[in-house]
Amino acid sequence: MDSYQQAQSSSLQEGDVVYLFYRNPHTQNVASIQQASVMANPYEDGQLSIFLYDTYYPLSDEFVFFTSLEEAEALYNDYFGPTFE
């Protein structure tokens, strides 16, 4: 397996775009790559969050996210197989 450079939450700033894997909450065997924004956390002053599907998630290194769509797609293809031939 190739080595992928996951972004660290400490290197992100408000306004950055990240890409992460998102599992459909209704169909767990369906996953996709989603683009999300790094924004100020409206519930915690001075903290950042990931804004995805109208929800703020506290920014932490527990998320696997990438600053490059190409890196996210490469790791996605390793785990789930290619999305197209």
Side-chain angles (χ1 to χ4, degrees), residues 1-74:
M1 179 181 281
D2 294 327
S3 175
Y4 300 98
Q5 186 62 39
Q6 176 186 344
Q8 298 297 309
S9 62
S10 60
S11 68
L12 297 174
Q13 300 177 33
E14 187 173 353
D16 286 348
V17 172
V18 294
Y19 300 89
L20 49 93
F21 299 165
Y22 180 80
R23 285 200 180 268
N24 182 320
H26 305 290
T27 310
Q28 285 295 304
N29 64 343
V30 175
S32 61
I33 298 171
Q34 295 296 316
Q35 179 178 323
S37 299
V38 177
M39 302 180 78
N41 188 332
Y43 309 111
E44 296 288 331
D45 288 339
Q47 300 293 317
L48 294 176
S49 63
I50 294 175
F51 187 67
L52 176 68
Y53 290 121
D54 296 328
T55 304
Y56 293 91
Y57 299 94
L59 183 63
S60 77
D61 286 330
E62 292 180 11
F63 286 102
V64 176
F65 51 85
F66 298 90
T67 56
S68 159
L69 178 58
E70 292 76 20
E71 285 280 323
E73 287 176 338

